[in-house]
Amino acid sequence: METNGLGPKGFPELKNDTFLRAAWGEETDYTPVWCMRQAGRYLPEFRETRAAQDFFSTCRSPEACCELTLQPLRRFPLDAAIIFSDILVVPQALGMEVTMVPGKGPSFPEPIREEQDLERLRDPATVASELGYVFQAITLTRQRLAGRVPLIGFAGAPWTLMTYMIEGGGSSTMSQAKRWLYQRPQASHQLLQILTDALVPYLVGQVAAGAQIIFAKDGHFALEELAQAGYEVVGLDWTVDPKKARERVGKTVTLQGNLDPCALYAPKEEIGQLVQQMLDGFGPQRYIANLGHGLYPDMDPEHVGAFVDAVHRHSRLLRQN
């Protein structure tokens, strides 16, 4: 945590800490807001920057990641930046090949099929050094942000990564990965442990490199457990009712979310009304506004701007009343 003008690595002093204060449960003048996938294909400048190289080459370029992270902040008064990266850099660092197939998404040419395939994986202790490019991107971005807003880091949970590694890509049913849980419980534990042993130093490394907060996403099925697990922020998807979520966790945790991203297809006035309902449900404090999922590529940047402005405007009104 930073105390004086410069942080532990000589980072610039933070000018807008509303997001961090909300995360820590302190009073804020308004509700902070950011968007999952705010650095994404809905922005023409993002598409232009990304056109030059393939997806994972972009992830490995600190300069490109920094530029993509900063683009949405030039357009919108967001209260946090989130580093441009991908959860699948971790399986890559464990030695698995991952390609990004246009129109289909990530693909593993040789997924894990048998227990002996686990022997192909690298030692998880080496993962953090393999992912030095992410740490460099974080440090560079923190410097270039010049204290404007905090920078969020992230990683995929062990189960999420396990499903990709076994299914060979995204899956709506995850049936292959779940089959492992039932038919190969010990090997499943072994794989989840490998991933955990890779993720812990990776996340610690992100914080050391300058990331200021990490959150649990889609955890509504275990809200109470998460609230007691020591997380400061729990992100909710749009299927959860804000008032009920608040009743379940009380005032002990900051909640984040949870507007249905598809609401951004609505006219701007209606986006304002939907934001108002959402803010009324969560209450003015211990809350960070976001979408319940990432922004989709065909969304209009102006509607994203309307969402951000509506959060700031309505949350200030809420506090006055």
Side-chain angles (χ1 to χ4, degrees):
M1 208 183 299
E2 290 168 39
T3 46
N4 52 11
L6 291 175
K9 285 206 169 176
F11 288 125
E13 187 171 10
L14 193 54
K15 300 184 192 89
N16 172 2
D17 64 350
T18 310
F19 171 83
L20 290 180
R21 289 214 316 275
W24 294 325
E26 296 172 14
E27 293 263 313
T28 59
D29 300 335
Y30 64 90
T31 296
V33 57
W34 66 282
C35 298
M36 275 186 261
R37 289 205 210 122
Q38 61 190 31
R41 284 176 295 170
Y42 74 101
L43 290 175
E45 57 268 40
F46 177 96
R47 296 196 295 272
E48 203 176 310
T49 306
R50 277 273 298 104
Q53 54 193 162
D54 79 84
F55 183 81
F56 286 109
S57 304
T58 307
C59 289
R60 282 190 282 275
S61 160
E63 195 61 54
C65 290
C66 176
E67 167 59 21
L68 293 168
T69 301
L70 296 177
Q71 281 176 350
L73 283 111
R74 295 185 192 123
R75 268 189 190 254
F76 314 117
L78 295 156
D79 295 291
I82 181 162
I83 195 68
F84 175 82
S85 185
D86 194 271
I87 62 170
L88 300 180
V89 297
V90 171
Q92 272 187 334
L94 286 167
M96 293 191 78
E97 189 191 342
V98 193
T99 55
M100 198 56 84
V101 181
K104 185 190 165 210
S107 173
F108 289 71
E110 294 181 37
I112 290 174
R113 287 282 177 247
E114 305 297 331
E115 290 184 33
Q116 57 263 36
D117 292 342
L118 298 183
E119 291 159 24
R120 301 201 317 246
L121 299 176
R122 287 192 195 128
D123 176 357
T126 64
V127 163
S129 56
E130 286 284 323
L131 295 175
Y133 60 85
V134 179
F135 305 147
Q136 288 166 6
I138 286 171
T139 302
L140 179 65
T141 307
R142 252 318 269 285
Q143 296 290 1
R144 297 246 174 103
L145 273 169
R148 200 167 137 188
V149 291
L151 178 62
I152 303 169
F154 69 94
W159 167 247
T160 308
L161 297 178
M162 175 175 162
T163 60
Y164 274 101
M165 290 160 78
I166 291 174
E167 302 280 349
S171 160
S172 53
T173 62
M174 304 177 199
S175 59
Q176 294 294 324
K178 286 182 178 171
R179 183 177 180 172
W180 263 63
L181 295 181
Y182 288 109
Q183 294 185 350
R184 301 187 172 104
Q186 271 180 300
S188 297
H189 273 290
Q190 191 188 341
L191 177 51
L192 288 166
Q193 193 59 56
I194 289 169
L195 288 163
T196 304
D197 293 346
L199 286 164
V200 170
Y202 177 49
L203 287 171
V204 169
Q206 287 191 37
V207 172
Q212 289 151 295
I213 193 166
I214 286 153
F215 66 95
K217 174 179 171 282
D218 286 352
H220 56 86
F221 56 88
L223 255 184
E224 291 82 358
E225 290 85 344
L226 282 168
Q228 285 150 23
Y231 280 102
E232 285 151 336
V233 183
V234 176
L236 304 175
D237 68 21
W238 67 91
T239 61
V240 186
D241 176 77
K243 279 199 174 71
K244 292 200 177 100
R246 179 58 79 203
E247 282 162 19
R248 283 170 64 188
V249 300
K251 298 267 193 292
T252 52
V253 205
T254 294
L255 292 173
Q256 173 177 278
N258 72 338
L259 191 71
D260 179 352
C262 292
L264 297 193
Y265 294 127
K268 290 184 198 169
E269 304 70 49
E270 200 177 323
I271 292 172
Q273 291 159 11
L274 293 165
V275 163
Q276 193 169 337
Q277 284 169 14
M278 175 175 81
L279 266 59
D280 291 347
F282 279 107
Q285 302 297 343
R286 289 224 82 139
Y287 172 52
I288 295 165
N290 203 320
L291 303 169
H293 199 272
L295 287 162
Y296 301 130
D298 63 350
M299 288 186 160
D300 182 343
E302 285 199 9
H303 286 227
V304 177
F307 167 69
V308 173
D309 292 340
V311 170
H312 286 157
R313 194 174 60 249
H314 185 65
S315 63
R316 285 183 192 279
L317 286 172
L318 256 186
R319 282 162 175 73
Q320 284 165 18
N321 302 335

